[in-house]
Amino acid sequence: MNVDPSRPPDSTAAVPDITVVVIVYNDESRLPTAVQSVLAQTLRGVEVVIVDDRSTDGSYEVARRLATEHPARVRAYRLPENSGGCGAPRNHGIEQARGTYVVFLDSDDVLERNACRNLLEAAGTTGADLVSGLCVRVHVDSRSRKEVKWYPWLYERTRTLESIAELPDLLVFDTLSTNKCYRRQFLLDRDLRFPVGIHYEDLLFSAQAYAAARRITLIPNRVYDWNVVEKAATKSISNRRDEIANFAQRMEIHRRVDQLLAEQGLLELKFHKDVKFLKHDLVLHLRELPFRDAAYRHEFAAITRDYLDSIDRAAFDEVDPIHAICAHLLRGSDWDHLLPAVDTLTNRDKISSPLLQRDGRIYWCDAGHLDGDLDGDGDGFGRQVLDVTELGYHTKPVEKMFLRNALTGYAEAAGTVRLAGRITNPLGIVPPGARLSGELEFYARRKSLRLQTFRFPVATLRHEGETIAWEASADLARRLRPLGIVDAVWDVRLHLDVDGTRTTTRLTASEPGLATGQLPVRPRLTRLAAHHIEPEISARGHLCFRLVSHEQVDAFVARGVQGPPGRLAKSGYRKAKAVRRKLTSGDTKIRLYHEVFSRLPVKRGLVVFESHLGRQYSDSPRAIYEEMRRQGLEFEAVWSYSGSPVGFPSDATLVRRWSGPYLKALARAEFWIDNQSYPLKLTKRPRTTYIQTWHGSALKRMGFDEPEWKLKSRRRQEEQQRTLDRFDRFLIRSEHDVRTLARAFRLKEKTLLRVGYPRNDALVRARRSTERPPLAAELGIPEDRRVLLYAPTFRGRGKGRFELPFDVERFADTFGDRYVLLVRSHYLDHVVLPPSVRGRVIDVSAHHDVTPLLALADGLITDYSSVMFDYALLDRPMFFFVYDYEEYVYEGRGTYFDLLERAPGPVVRTEDELHAVLGSLEKQVVKYAAARERFVADFGEYDKGDAARSVVEQFFSQWRRA
């Protein structure tokens, strides 16, 4: 063992609080940065122990220099021979550490400046053996140094666990050893060491530490920056998925962890780990199988098969069907069905199996699985796993299907490529007698450069039962004319026409090495740009072609994009935008949404907000948006507007409703958030989450409780139900909503989110405040005037002028010295006030958000509007002017309860009665106090003032910045 002679251990020195063990192998350039991140810690009692794993570069010399420069804080050691992993150097670091606590750091990563202080304070406060903080993956070679938090939901708040059993997700997901602080005596007493001679040592060490720890504390602080280099010359261990030995070591670590959990009696943790294995660990390697040869596949199956037998079968019920299907087929080494299933695993919308219908159910395949013959179980497990009825494949028309198209032949000669393949025909959706035609289409992958596409007819199409076989030739050398440089990658797809209905497929490489060779091309810019294209397989397994440029071209590409070639590309982009602007018809836009934009990948972090069909920046979508901004979340916000964008947030992308950018944003969004409805004919994609906040509790009958909906045809009702079924979560503010709105919309219990309305958080806060909102001054309301708000409901008489049901001039003359009346008509109406009431009656209908108006009002005048449920939270007087009660209740759609019996304030029918009860607000406060309390209990039980924060924490906390 080599140790820096300039820094011998000193047993008489003060004991450091923390020893940071920095391990290094052939990383001399980054080692100083890692060590400096330790030396710069705000906690001063920190020492560095560098352990070099017998590097062949100058890493150890750099370590010795650092020890010489910082003799009181840095020591350097060198292993006698390279261990080939992280375990041995970390173990030696534990032995040499003098600190009360130990932290591990890799030479290519860094510690956050306050990491040691935060970890130590948590350990000292709670007495934990192990403290863990937030790790952030920093993509250092990306343009914006993208940051991704490592399982952030585990670190939303500080909490202490007495046992890892209290939080299984911690053991299952956060298997890192480097974002943690360990009490050194705990490591010594429990003889906790990393395994040596095997990769993925973190998984086992972390599991051992979690299981042995007397107490574990989690802190929400960022402590560790895991620097990720996507284009590194040497792949990291976890990314060497093409090495079967790498996978074998991963599986061995999994077996050791399982043995540990079994010995400790932690069977519940084993179950959670099984679920994660099926959803994540196995998937990482399954996706590689189409790119590997037969020898790799069979060895992979042999390694995995026994382990899959050890997994609790109940875990298969907890994962997506395609995860369970792939694991089951792998267990039986059924390659004919497994590789297509992996295609669906990679391309979630793709139907890659012919499917099977039996006994009224739809199954992924048969081949002996349904009766247990293939795996020998005979217990119906295969039937259970392969049942995909609930996925609804059988309900899709052919034009809605994304079908697997397996490439079976590839050859080229004289600039022409000959292709052949088989398109999956699930459940015989393409009948034997169907009229078939098709064409191959080549198009630039870069969307802004899709100025032209090149199409070639499919010469042969044959119905072969479970597949449609095809053959085609494409004279790429003569016909394909790329620009060059800027459109380097060209994708290819096949459009299949079935009896006049079109569906589109991508060409999936069914076997590695099938597509090879070169084809000459003539780029439009210059032959210097490129002289041939080569076939390659994309990460999703699809055939594409890449222009291969001359070596000298790469040197002047950067200059070229600023010259004529760049200007040509920009001109093409402008032309593409002009074409998009021409797509103005509704039918065209719907097709554009489904056939173009919905084929684009869902964009992580993209959220589309809309309030009242784009008319307002208001309501709960606004409250959620502002809470996300307040918390500093990293996301891309898009707000829809239908009229003027004035009043909408300046820190969001604004798109006009029904415009091309609006449709594209909806198609690519990870989340939809609105309070009414996105366009009914737009199908929500499976990977998009629709949070429906709704716009008020119901007095009036809604949805399928409305008489007119009960009279509609079955087809119309089914269409309406499909639009309602798009909701993934529906916000609930009381059990009254469950009995009314949820039932009327036929929502499932799992859809309901009982958190209250985010828009009402401000009202809960306003009730506790004694200060007058600043809106009063903005409206010019004198300090000595109380404020009344008149907010009636919409009566469905068409959009237009709203006639006030009382004499507004009489009101102003009677109460103008005491009150200022704010009039807010429904957004489908507009009101015209006479000039004589100026200053005493104010039209506030143009205010997007009613919530600030409610918070300002000392009293509310309404009729049947749902604002009554919101305003009740303020515990202020309410007056119900129901001049058309019988007509509204008995001749309209009806109500869910009798307002006359349950109103938390006086109900009046005439203008005189209204004037009489408005005489004293204080009197009404006392008289109806109990009624208001009951009303809030009945209709606002979940409005506690934290709805926006709750929604953000449940759905978006992983986007929080440090």
Side-chain angles (χ1 to χ4, degrees):
M1 177 66 61
N2 291 340
V3 60
D4 177 20
S6 67
R7 184 68 187 102
D10 183 1
S11 60
T12 64
V15 176
D17 294 313
I18 291 180
T19 296
V20 178
V21 177
V22 182
I23 63 170
V24 60
Y25 176 71
N26 286 355
D27 198 18
E28 60 180 321
S29 63
R30 292 181 292 191
L31 176 61
T33 302
V35 173
Q36 183 58 40
S37 76
V38 183
L39 297 176
Q41 289 289 299
T42 54
L43 179 70
R44 302 310 301 165
V46 181
E47 72 163 355
V48 183
V49 170
I50 305 174
V51 182
D52 174 61
D53 196 14
R54 204 70 186 185
S55 296
T56 59
D57 68 352
S59 294
Y60 182 56
E61 287 68 27
V62 171
R64 293 183 61 188
R65 175 174 58 79
L66 290 169
T68 301
E69 293 173 354
H70 307 277
R73 303 188 66 189
V74 179
R75 289 179 283 139
Y77 299 87
R78 190 181 195 186
L79 298 186
E81 60 183 20
N82 177 250
S83 68
C86 301
R90 286 177 181 159
N91 290 341
H92 188 71
I94 295 173
E95 295 170 4
Q96 298 299 327
R98 293 187 295 110
T100 306
Y101 295 89
V102 176
V103 170
F104 300 107
L105 174 63
D106 293 343
S107 61
D108 52 348
D109 300 328
V110 295
L111 293 181
E112 194 277 335
R113 188 166 181 266
N114 298 295
C116 289
R117 178 179 297 280
N118 289 329
L119 290 168
L120 181 66
E121 287 181 354
T125 301
T126 65
D129 291 329
L130 187 161
V131 179
S132 188
L134 181 65
C135 170
V136 177
R137 286 170 58 93
V138 181
H139 295 257
V140 294
D141 57 348
S142 67
R143 185 175 302 175
S144 59
R145 285 181 63 89
K146 180 180 70 173
E147 296 185 353
V148 179
K149 296 176 182 177
W150 185 255
Y151 301 113
W153 78 83
L154 297 171
Y155 297 98
E156 293 177 344
R157 58 184 174 84
T158 299
R159 54 180 161 177
T160 298
L161 312 174
E162 299 299 326
S163 167
I164 187 60
E166 296 178 26
L167 186 62
D169 278 358
L170 184 61
L171 177 142
V172 171
F173 291 99
D174 188 0
T175 56
L176 300 178
S177 65
T178 49
N179 59 331
K180 297 170 177 62
C181 174
Y182 309 86
R183 190 165 56 85
R184 183 169 180 268
Q185 196 59 46
F186 159 70
L187 298 178
L188 299 177
D189 292 346
R190 296 303 187 108
D191 195 26
L192 290 177
R193 299 294 188 276
F194 290 87
V196 177
I198 188 170
H199 294 315
Y200 302 102
E201 56 279 302
D202 269 22
L203 275 70
L204 181 57
F205 178 83
S206 295
Q208 292 172 329
Y210 284 141
R214 177 176 52 87
R215 185 173 293 156
I216 302 168
T217 295
L218 308 182
I219 60 175
N221 308 83
R222 179 176 184 164
V223 299
Y224 194 91
D225 282 6
W226 176 357
N227 290 329
V228 179
V229 182
E230 296 287 355
K231 300 176 182 178
T234 302
K235 290 184 179 180
S236 65
I237 292 172
S238 59
N239 284 326
R240 298 175 193 169
R241 291 190 283 274
D242 56 335
E243 302 174 7
I244 194 66
N246 181 289
F247 178 69
Q249 293 187 44
R250 187 178 194 129
M251 294 307 301
E252 174 59 25
I253 289 293
H254 273 289
R255 292 187 181 93
R256 295 187 191 182
V257 173
D258 291 348
Q259 181 180 357
L260 167 71
L261 298 178
E263 292 172 351
Q264 298 285 337
L266 300 171
L267 300 182
E268 183 69 18
L269 292 179
K270 168 65 165 60
F271 174 78
H272 286 278
K273 180 177 172 296
D274 286 346
V275 173
K276 195 247 186 176
F277 178 82
L278 294 175
K279 292 177 66 173
H280 177 73
D281 300 81
L282 182 61
V283 169
L284 291 176
H285 294 271
L286 282 173
R287 287 174 174 163
E288 297 292 317
L289 290 183
F291 303 96
R292 307 293 164 233
D293 59 23
Y296 180 100
R297 294 172 184 172
H298 288 291
E299 190 170 356
F300 177 85
I303 294 171
T304 312
R305 191 178 299 114
D306 290 342
Y307 189 78
L308 288 173
D309 286 338
S310 72
I311 286 181
D312 190 332
R313 288 193 168 183
F316 284 73
D317 296 330
E318 301 297 321
V319 301
D320 290 345
I322 193 61
H323 292 147
I325 288 169
C326 287
H328 180 70
L329 296 176
L330 176 62
R331 185 166 166 255
S333 296
D334 183 359
W335 299 104
D336 290 339
H337 293 102
L338 173 59
L339 292 178
V342 171
D343 195 5
T344 295
L345 185 69
T346 304
N347 303 276
R348 286 304 185 88
D349 296 329
K350 186 179 290 188
I351 304 175
S352 59
S353 170
L355 306 178
L356 173 72
Q357 185 172 354
R358 181 186 291 185
D359 302 326
R361 307 294 292 178
I362 306 298
Y363 297 94
W364 185 261
C365 62
D366 185 5
H369 294 281
L370 298 189
D371 301 317
D373 297 333
L374 188 141
D375 53 25
D377 293 331
D379 57 0
F381 181 65
R383 179 181 294 266
Q384 172 189 336
V385 170
L386 298 173
D387 190 332
V388 293
T389 309
E390 300 304 319
L391 297 181
Y393 291 140
H394 58 292
T395 66
K396 292 185 176 182
V398 66
E399 65 269 20
K400 299 296 183 183
M401 290 183 170
F402 179 23
L403 301 175
R404 172 177 166 87
N405 186 349
L407 189 67
T408 58
Y410 183 97
E412 56 186 51
T416 297
V417 60
R418 294 190 297 274
L419 304 171
R422 288 189 175 88
I423 301 173
T424 300
N425 185 19
L427 300 172
I429 189 70
V430 180
R435 300 187 312 275
L436 303 178
S437 64
E439 65 176 4
L440 288 174
E441 181 179 85
F442 293 76
Y443 57 97
R445 177 173 296 176
R446 189 172 178 180
K447 300 177 182 63
S448 61
L449 295 174
R450 292 183 187 174
L451 311 180
Q452 55 184 337
T453 58
F454 301 92
R455 298 183 177 88
F456 303 87
V458 175
T460 303
L461 281 163
R462 298 188 306 275
H463 195 291
E464 296 185 351
E466 292 187 341
T467 62
I468 306 298
W470 62 271
E471 297 172 4
S473 296
D475 186 357
L476 298 182
R478 185 173 63 87
R479 291 277 311 281
L480 184 65
R481 296 298 308 278
L483 288 174
I485 300 176
V486 292
D487 54 354
V489 180
W490 286 74
D491 291 309
V492 57
R493 56 192 174 193
L494 188 150
H495 300 295
L496 176 66
D497 188 283
V498 181
D499 288 332
T501 300
R502 181 176 178 177
T503 189
T504 300
T505 68
R506 297 291 303 274
L507 276 56
T508 298
S510 55
E511 291 295 334
L514 179 62
T516 59
Q518 294 184 355
L519 291 127
V521 292
R522 293 179 299 150
R524 295 181 184 274
L525 295 179
T526 169
R527 288 295 299 270
L528 291 176
H531 54 81
H532 68 272
I533 59 173
E534 294 179 348
E536 68 177 27
I537 308 304
S538 71
R540 291 187 174 274
H542 297 143
L543 176 68
C544 62
F545 291 86
R546 180 178 294 276
L547 272 75
V548 180
S549 63
H550 294 280
E551 294 181 3
Q552 62 267 33
V553 172
D554 295 334
F556 65 79
V557 166
R559 297 193 302 272
V561 296
Q562 302 299 326
R567 287 195 294 272
L568 178 61
K570 293 175 183 177
S571 174
Y573 178 70
R574 286 192 293 269
K575 291 178 181 178
K577 290 182 67 177
V579 170
R580 188 166 60 243
R581 284 195 297 268
K582 295 179 181 179
L583 301 175
T584 57
S585 71
D587 290 341
T588 300
K589 288 181 177 179
I590 292 172
R591 291 199 305 272
L592 182 67
Y593 173 88
H594 288 105
E595 298 176 12
V596 179
F597 294 147
S598 290
R599 296 189 182 279
L600 302 176
V602 170
K603 189 173 184 181
R604 182 168 178 79
L606 176 59
V607 187
V608 178
F609 298 86
E610 186 172 287
S611 179
H612 294 301
L613 308 180
R615 293 180 177 90
Q616 301 174 359
Y617 171 59
S618 66
D619 213 79
S620 292
R622 173 178 180 172
I624 294 173
Y625 171 77
E626 292 180 349
E627 178 65 16
M628 294 171 72
R629 288 297 191 203
R630 188 191 67 78
Q631 292 193 22
L633 303 189
E634 294 181 323
F635 66 106
E636 181 178 349
V638 172
W639 266 95
S640 152
Y641 69 95
S642 61
S644 168
V646 175
F648 284 79
S650 59
D651 55 353
T653 300
L654 307 184
V655 294
R656 185 181 297 278
R657 203 170 194 265
W658 274 113
S659 66
Y662 172 82
L663 297 174
K664 184 177 181 181
L666 283 178
R668 300 198 65 190
E670 187 175 358
F671 285 90
W672 291 359
I673 301 178
D674 88 316
N675 65 352
Q676 195 157 340
S677 178
Y678 287 107
L680 303 182
K681 293 185 179 181
L682 301 186
T683 302
K684 182 184 74 69
R685 299 175 69 180
R687 291 183 60 195
T688 300
T689 299
Y690 190 170
I691 301 177
Q692 173 57 256
T693 68
W694 203 238
H695 50 273
S697 298
L699 168 63
K700 306 175 288 287
R701 293 192 177 275
M702 303 292 294
F704 290 99
D705 288 343
E706 295 181 50
E708 65 174 294
W709 273 107
K710 294 180 180 179
L711 297 176
K712 290 185 182 294
S713 67
R714 179 176 179 180
R715 182 182 64 82
R716 291 292 307 279
Q717 291 192 25
E718 289 175 347
E719 289 176 354
Q720 177 68 7
Q721 189 61 55
R722 281 195 292 271
T723 67
L724 296 171
D725 288 344
R726 296 183 301 173
F727 303 159
D728 293 300
R729 303 311 293 267
F730 187 91
L731 268 57
I732 295 295
R733 59 179 308 216
S734 72
E735 289 303 305
H736 169 75
D737 290 351
V738 177
R739 296 188 297 270
T740 56
L741 291 172
R743 187 188 66 182
F745 295 156
R746 298 175 182 173
L747 302 178
K748 297 178 182 178
E749 173 63 27
K750 65 180 181 180
T751 305
L752 308 183
L753 192 62
R754 293 172 169 83
V755 296
Y757 282 169
R759 73 184 186 192
N760 288 341
D761 293 347
L763 299 180
V764 175
R765 292 192 298 269
R767 178 177 178 174
R768 305 174 186 141
S769 175
T770 59
E771 297 182 2
R772 196 178 207 188
L775 180 59
E778 296 176 19
L779 295 174
I781 300 175
E783 290 287 341
D784 62 343
R785 300 291 196 275
R786 307 291 293 276
V787 178
L788 294 177
L789 173 65
Y790 178 53
T793 192
F794 178 64
R795 284 168 169 74
R797 294 170 181 160
K799 184 176 180 180
R801 179 173 173 175
F802 176 64
E803 296 289 345
L804 290 171
F806 56 89
D807 186 341
V808 68
E809 291 181 295
R810 178 189 172 194
F811 183 94
D813 291 339
T814 304
F815 299 105
D817 59 340
R818 283 181 285 171
Y819 306 135
V820 170
L821 179 67
L822 307 181
V823 177
R824 190 179 192 274
S825 63
H826 192 275
Y827 61 81
L828 295 177
D829 292 322
H830 69 272
V831 65
V832 177
L833 297 174
S836 59
V837 301
R838 185 178 293 121
R840 297 176 293 172
V841 182
I842 303 173
D843 180 15
V844 292
S845 302
H847 282 250
H848 277 193
D849 203 348
V850 72
T851 301
L853 299 172
L854 295 175
L856 173 61
D858 298 296
L860 172 70
I861 306 170
T862 187
D863 45 17
Y864 322 102
S865 173
S866 63
V867 296
M868 70 174 78
F869 301 106
D870 305 320
Y871 191 78
L873 298 171
L874 292 164
D875 193 29
R876 299 173 187 172
M878 284 189 280
F879 308 89
F880 297 86
F881 185 29
V882 293
Y883 57 93
D884 57 352
Y885 186 82
E886 282 74 21
E887 175 187 351
Y888 189 90
V889 172
Y890 299 115
E891 297 180 18
R893 55 174 120 164
T895 60
Y896 284 114
F897 62 88
D898 189 343
L899 182 63
L900 301 179
E901 294 180 358
R902 304 182 69 175
V907 180
V908 297
R909 306 289 190 96
T910 69
E911 186 172 343
D912 289 338
E913 291 175 338
L914 176 62
H915 280 221
V917 297
L918 288 177
S920 172
L921 296 184
E922 288 73 21
K923 180 178 179 180
Q924 303 300 330
V925 168
V926 176
K927 183 176 181 180
Y928 288 91
R932 289 195 302 273
E933 183 177 356
R934 289 193 302 270
F935 198 81
V936 172
D938 291 340
F939 303 108
E941 59 188 299
Y942 301 126
D943 281 323
K944 304 299 183 184
D946 60 354
R949 180 165 53 84
S950 178
V951 170
V952 171
E953 288 178 354
Q954 291 189 52
F955 296 96
F956 308 108
S957 60
Q958 69 273 20
W959 300 342
R960 187 174 293 121
R961 294 190 183 96

